[in-house]
Amino acid sequence: VSEAPAAPRDDASQSPALVTGRRRADRGRSAGRDLGRLLLGHARRFRGRDLQDVATRALRDTDGRRAWIVSILNASLWTRRLVRDALWLRPRRLRTRLAFGRRHRGPVAGDRTLSLLCPTRDRVGQVVALLDSIRRTAARPGRIEVLFYVDSDDPRLAGYRDLFARAATRFAGLGRVALVVGEPIGVPAAWNELAAQATGDLLLMANDDQRYVDFGWDVRLGDRVRQLTGTHPDGVLCLYFDGGQYPEGGHDFPIVSRPWYATLGYFTPTMFSQWEVETWVFDIAERLGRLYAVPGVFVEHLHYQDYKAPFDATYQRHRMTREKSFADHALFLRTAPQRQAEVTRLRAVTARGGVPGAVLDAAAFWFTGYLAAHRDRVATEVAGWLAGRPAGPWHRMALFDGGGFTAAAERDLPVLTEVLRGVPDAQVPAGAIDVGALGPGSTAPAPLGGPPDARWVYWAVPERAAGHRAGERLGWPAGGLLVVDDRLGIAVRNEGDGPVAVVRFAVPATVPDAGQPSPEREVVADV
């Protein structure tokens, strides 16, 4: 006689205590399985994509009874990290420092300045560790600036402010360490905000979970760029270090040159939540044929998915599910034509052959005398405007954008706006005019946008500033104009004791010189 099938369990017919106990036992067995799977992830062959979902399932437990799973996992990750640092990373740092000393017995040459751009959240300690690793391993730290973006709602904002108030002494030797606090705009937009304030010849994507390991990495990067510009004099380059996160040949954390950034007008695309941002940059570089590794440099990326760091609040914020990453990937696949269009824009620059830009004779441009005639009026207004600006290194305000003067220009600087209306050459549809308050000793980055093959005009009021291109100081008369025909590598430095306003605008290459009057200039004379 066959045995009758067992009747299904009916919790409703059981006592509440028995049901509760059974459910607790089920949860306990499930939690134990999750912990076991997560601990097995220490072995690479057991490290599947679903482990992230296992961890987030524990974090999403509303009653908090599964949070202990992540606590135990994080303890094991900390132990793993300490062992790895003691047995591999520290010996490698020492070995590369000794090797660098044997190769470079005299002064270390190099003229490339570097800007590391790092959004961060709730990780003050990680920022300290990153900066220490940069300062400890850079052969010429004075060439390096590190910029951080922190959300205004960050729970550790006070800690960040306290750290950066002491940054000049805590990280002495680095060229510049700056904190930018703003509204929560997402990681890609934060990278762009930092890039807009950067002054380096090379822009490096950075994360607070990076650690620079090999001594002299900055010199190796500069040497690699110098080698590549020998064959690519246009300087349009994208490079990368070995981050140790992806298989051999994989790319992590792009490094782009100033010509690349200035041509595209952004550092990272903002259409993605976070994923595919680096892939976008690297795909453009591969299509262009300008993607290069920097050999001999290892930068540790302490990423949770590689079991190199604890699963902290920042990972919880950005990686709670994989739905957004799937959406980003689908968007990436749909936007291949846009990346090809960016390649076309970059090729327009490379096609020019990288002819070095030159400083042009400002006296040859008709608007030089016109602006000099109005300088005193503008200087009086600008002095009041500067008095109300923050004391930071560079505060930019757009005056002309999208084909018209901005409301801020009309409201805050009406005299300057009136004077600039008299320069119609700068008001073409693709034109760009801005003004920046530049503090003493500070440097303004190169402008972006403008018409093709533009001449860029700089007007410092009321003091004199200095122009620089790749470390070379350019001549600039007091109260006069600096006009250059290369918009890709110019930065402006305030060498005075007080703040200075730097007005920048672009004019097409066809602007008539002082000896060729135009109908527009006759209108200017009547202003």
Side-chain angles (χ1 to χ4, degrees):
V1 179
S2 62
E3 183 178 353
R9 190 177 72 187
D10 182 8
D11 286 347
S13 65
Q14 307 294 327
S15 68
L18 182 60
V19 172
T20 300
R22 184 175 290 134
R23 289 176 178 172
R24 286 177 178 172
D26 290 343
R27 283 198 300 266
R29 284 191 293 270
S30 175
R33 285 194 298 269
D34 285 351
L35 177 61
R37 294 178 64 190
L38 289 169
L39 291 178
L40 281 173
H42 281 286
R44 185 179 293 274
R45 67 177 180 273
F46 297 112
R47 205 178 297 160
R49 288 180 173 269
D50 62 333
L51 287 184
Q52 178 180 308
D53 296 331
V54 174
T56 54
R57 182 163 61 241
L59 290 165
R60 284 179 163 179
D61 189 12
T62 55
D63 60 12
R65 294 177 181 176
R66 300 167 65 93
W68 60 272
I69 297 175
V70 177
S71 298
I72 294 176
L73 173 65
N74 284 347
S76 70
L77 292 172
W78 274 114
T79 302
R80 176 193 178 102
R81 178 172 164 182
L82 291 173
V83 171
R84 175 181 171 81
D85 189 65
L87 298 183
W88 190 67
L89 295 180
R90 289 181 186 177
R92 176 163 181 153
R93 279 194 293 266
L94 178 60
R95 186 171 64 252
T96 57
R97 189 179 189 97
L98 294 173
F100 185 89
R102 289 193 295 269
R103 290 194 307 269
H104 302 273
R105 297 185 181 278
V108 180
D111 57 0
R112 298 296 192 281
T113 54
L114 314 179
S115 297
L116 282 79
L117 315 176
C118 181
T120 179
R121 183 174 181 86
D122 199 19
R123 287 178 169 178
V124 178
Q126 294 272 59
V127 166
V128 172
L130 170 63
L131 288 170
D132 278 340
S133 75
I134 294 170
R135 182 175 56 87
R136 183 173 56 235
T137 58
R140 294 193 62 195
R143 298 186 303 149
I144 300 171
E145 66 176 5
V146 193
L147 311 180
F148 295 88
Y149 189 97
V150 176
D151 295 338
S152 56
D153 67 350
D154 194 296
R156 302 286 303 281
L157 181 57
Y160 279 111
R161 292 191 187 278
D162 179 65
L163 171 64
F164 283 86
R166 299 178 285 109
T169 53
R170 176 69 176 79
F171 308 106
L174 288 174
R176 177 188 173 201
V177 178
L179 175 68
V180 177
V181 179
E183 294 302 311
I185 55 178
V187 175
W191 268 317
N192 284 338
E193 180 65 26
L194 295 174
Q197 301 195 34
T199 63
D201 300 316
L202 298 170
L203 306 181
L204 290 75
M205 180 180 287
N207 270 12
D208 52 24
D209 57 2
Q210 285 181 297
R211 300 293 180 269
Y212 282 74
V213 178
D214 292 341
F215 187 84
W217 60 269
D218 55 324
V219 173
R220 280 188 177 272
L221 174 58
D223 289 345
R224 182 64 164 148
V225 171
R226 190 177 305 107
Q227 174 193 20
L228 292 171
T229 51
T231 54
H232 304 306
D234 50 75
V236 177
L237 299 170
C238 178
L239 307 98
Y240 61 95
F241 294 132
D242 175 16
Q245 182 180 3
Y246 302 110
E248 185 175 353
H251 316 131
D252 199 10
F253 295 106
I255 303 165
V256 302
S257 63
R258 177 64 63 173
W260 173 295
Y261 170 65
T263 301
L264 297 186
Y266 64 89
F267 184 58
T268 53
T270 57
M271 67 183 70
F272 303 107
S273 297
Q274 181 174 351
W275 298 267
E276 306 295 344
V277 169
E278 297 166 69
T279 311
W280 174 281
V281 179
F282 286 132
D283 185 67
I284 291 173
E286 287 183 314
R287 291 168 181 259
L288 184 65
R290 293 295 181 89
L291 179 60
Y292 298 98
V294 182
V297 176
F298 173 71
V299 180
E300 175 83 322
H301 186 193
L302 301 174
H303 202 284
Y304 161 74
Q305 70 184 29
D306 295 311
Y307 273 59
K308 293 181 180 180
F311 192 74
D312 66 6
T314 299
Y315 287 127
Q316 296 171 31
R317 180 181 175 93
H318 294 297
R319 297 184 178 271
M320 285 296 288
T321 65
R322 288 185 291 163
E323 287 85 354
K324 288 185 178 181
S325 66
F326 292 151
D328 274 1
H329 185 63
L331 179 59
F332 177 81
L333 296 177
R334 294 197 304 270
T335 52
Q338 291 175 243
R339 293 191 298 280
Q340 189 59 46
E342 300 296 58
V343 172
T344 301
R345 294 174 64 193
L346 290 166
R347 280 184 178 151
V349 176
T350 62
R352 289 184 291 187
V355 178
V359 178
L360 305 178
D361 181 10
F365 292 83
W366 70 264
F367 47 73
T368 298
Y370 166 75
L371 293 177
H374 292 280
R375 184 176 184 277
D376 290 342
R377 292 178 59 213
V378 171
T380 300
E381 180 182 68
V382 162
W385 181 75
L386 287 172
R389 298 298 95 192
W394 173 244
H395 297 276
R396 171 186 174 275
M397 184 174 77
L399 299 177
F400 184 91
D401 188 33
F405 283 91
T406 65
E410 303 278 7
R411 180 188 67 245
D412 297 341
L413 292 168
V415 175
L416 176 59
T417 301
E418 174 196 339
V419 171
L420 291 173
R421 286 188 189 278
V423 188
D425 305 282
Q427 300 166 45
V428 295
I433 308 176
D434 66 34
V435 61
L438 194 61
S442 300
T443 303
L448 302 175
D453 300 319
R455 276 86 162 96
W456 276 95
V457 182
Y458 297 80
W459 186 25
V461 182
E463 306 292 340
R464 177 171 61 182
H468 293 264
R469 174 183 165 85
E472 176 190 2
R473 192 177 188 280
L474 308 176
W476 190 349
L481 303 180
L482 174 65
V483 185
V484 296
D485 70 356
D486 182 356
R487 64 188 174 99
L488 301 183
I490 297 299
V492 179
R493 183 171 180 82
N494 179 4
E495 297 183 340
D497 297 328
V500 61
V502 179
V503 180
R504 309 183 298 189
F505 60 86
V507 296
T510 55
V511 171
D513 62 25
Q516 297 177 334
S518 68
E520 289 87 352
R521 195 179 324 151
E522 294 176 2
V523 175
V524 168
D526 294 333
V527 174

